[in-house]
Each structure stands twice: as structure tokens, then as C-alpha cells.
Amino acid sequence: MNPINNLSLMINASKDSLIKFDPDIKEYNVEVPSDCFGALLKLEYSPEFYISIRGDRDAGRFGFSNLDPDMGDYIAGSEIPYYEYYGGYIIRLDKREACFEYDLDETIMIDAGSTEHGTDRYLIHIHRDSGKALRSLFREESFYDEEYGITMPYFLYVPTNYDRRKKYPLVIGLHGTGEVMEAPDAVMKKTQMGSAFAKDSEEGHNECFVLIPKCNVRYDEDDNWTTLNQFIKQRSDSPFWPMPQLTVAWRLIKKLENDYRIDDKRLYLTGISSGAFGAYVMAMEHPDAFAALVPVSGAANPARIGALKHLPMWIFHAADDPVIVPSYTLDPTLAALDGAGISYRLTRYPEKRIFWQSAHFCWEVAYKEKEMRDWLFSQRIGGWKQIKKKIGIPSGDRKHGQHINEQTNDIAAQAIAAASEIDRI
């Protein structure tokens, strides 16, 4: 008798298990991406058996201390908690920066037993590449802005086969709040916001430059690309005011345009979380500068949405994002876009599809979307799609638009009214 009838291991938003379960196979080897910090283990087993699931590495949010069982923390050899919401066990993979200096290997032990049948053990060996090979393609440099007295570290990918006789697109990625207080290379280690594009480029597909600037604290702990953090702490009347760091990032972009053969008709802007807020604001401040915008887990100022009239956008968000809650951020943004007749593409990941670290972290999936990356590089200022918009030719059935119900319309109206009262947002 086989105690386990089915076994699956999923990573964020995946439709397929990393394991092809066979009751006669007791040991499995799987590989996960460099920015994977958790996998969802689901299993079906005969009711007469007990199940014990343990890992051989600690899974505290902050390393080896400050464990919180309610958050699913566990130490090596202890039971891994079951998450009712997701219907499985979340295998936590270490995300401390030191771990990215080497590949990570973790073994999950699943014991299924009963007094009558004894115990069967299943092993899952998880391997995570450190990502160092791709990170090594980026140069770590800094840019000093005299007006604000800000030194901005940044990471720049220059194609290995860079040819000064031709021009290249530039992808600009703005990180989130979590990286503001961390080391400059934290965003490179913990996301694929830059490396996914560099990987394509090195393979000769969508060759480009990639810029990842670092928003350092200059004035106080609430420094960010915009006043989002100040707004949360009721120190600002809007989350959409640009902060000096955003202006410095823009000046850095202009510097790189002078230093390299950058195609100024193919600047692509993206951002995650507070970086998505910043990306929206930067696009609104410079409405003719960018060929496309990809905001992930963010929101735009409804009162200035008209500035995005001719800018192709692909928006990513998780339906159950607990940090940038869609009903107060994404939905008002979409309502404003629809109200202004602005076309956009939308990927709203369904509930329970982004599970770790939380549904907020949907960028762990977004930048792996090859369709998105190819779409991004198909955009160009002055391209046919933008010409059609400017001369009033319909751009299609807007199937990627979002229907907004009556309740959300009310929320959007309140957000627009509040934003409109601010003199300069």
C-alpha cells in the first residue's frame, strides 16, 4: 500500500508541479530560480497515515532568530507548518544576502507512517542557483548629483557584444521600499528585474542596456522614489510627490544617453512596489521620454492619468496583494485609465497563485513572462501603435481593459477627488 497518493511542488503562479509523482519513487531532485524564496508543497495521502514534513535548513524571516510560528517560521528538523489558505506547506528558502554568494541546497523529508504499516520516507532535494553568473554582467558604479548632494549607486548592464555603430534600447528598473535600507546589490540578488533582460540580451535576443539605480536614504528613513512612505506615516498629503532621488535617477538616465549609444526612442521603464509608484510618476513627469511602462504591484495618481495617454503599458498585480491592496490602488488606477480612454494590458494574478513571500511579490513571476519582455521590446516612440492613438484610430477592442464595478467606481471617485485637491502631485 502506498501511503501517499499524490505529491506536487509548485513555485509562484506555476501551473505545473516541479515533481512528476510516482508512488514507487521516493526521492526527487528539483531546481528553482535564483529569486525563489519559497515553494508550495501539496500532497494527498491515505487517512490512516500520519504525515511529518521537515527541512534541513532554518526558515526564519531574519535568519536564525525572531521566529514567528504564525508566519510559518521553522528551524531545521522541526515540523513545517500547514497553510490552510493555500492548502499546503510552504517550503521557505533562505533569502539572507549572504546566501546568494553560493548555490542553495535544501532537502525536505516527508515521513508517512502508521502503526500498522510502518513509515515511508520521501525526499525532495531543492537546488537554487545563486544567480552570480548573470549578476557579474552588471557594472557597479555611482552617480553624484550636485544640486541635491546625492550619490546614487547603480548597476549597469552593457551587452558583451556592444557595438558602437548601432543604438540599443535601455531598460530602467526601480526597486521597492525593501531595498532602500539594504546594500546596493540587494535588488540584484533578490529579483530578476535586471537579470531577466540581461539574460535575453546575452543570448542575442532583445539586445539592450539595463539600468538598476539604488534609492539611498539622504534625508530621513522615509526617503523613497516618491512620498509614498511619508504618506503612509501621515507626513505627506499624497503618495505621488516625486522625491529628489527620482529626479536624480532621471538625470542618471540622461547621462547614460550621452555616454553610450542609447536609442532614445526605446527607453523602457519598470518598477516594483514603491518603485512602480516611482515609475508612474517619472513617466508622468516626462511623458514623451519612454516607449513603454511596466509597473508591478503599484499605483498611479488618477488626477494625472492623462499624461499617460500615448504610453503603452502592461500592468502586473496580484488579486490578493496584502500590501498594495488592489481595491485602494490598482482598481482606482484602472478606473482612471478606462475613464480617460487609455488602453493598457493587465495581468492580475488570481488569489492564492502568489504565495511567498506574499502575494505582493508578484514580480518574482512578472519578469519571467517572456511574452511581456517581447512585447516591451516591440514598443517604440513614433511606432504605428502610438501614431494610431495620436490621430484617433481605434486601437482594438481593449480586451486587456478592466471592468470596474459600481463599488470600485466609488473608491476611484474618492481617490480622484482627494488627489485633485492637491496643487501639485
Side-chain angles (χ1 to χ4, degrees), residues 2-8 21 42-47 51 122:
N2 291 309
I4 293 182
N5 304 316
N6 195 19
L7 185 68
S8 65
F21 179 69
K42 292 188 174 185
L43 66 162
E44 299 173 7
Y45 56 94
S46 301
I51 296 292
Y122 299 78

Side-chain angles (χ1 to χ4, degrees), residues 11-12 32-39 93-94 128 190 364 368:
I11 58 176
N12 274 334
V32 298
S34 62
D35 62 344
C36 177
F37 306 121
L93 303 180
D94 205 328
R128 184 181 72 190
K190 296 179 181 180
E364 291 179 17
K368 297 183 182 72

Side-chain angles (χ1 to χ4, degrees), residues 59-78:
R61 283 171 294 159
F62 306 102
F64 300 95
S65 61
N66 299 325
L67 296 178
D68 182 353
D70 292 338
M71 291 293 294
D73 294 343
Y74 55 88
I75 60 175
S78 66

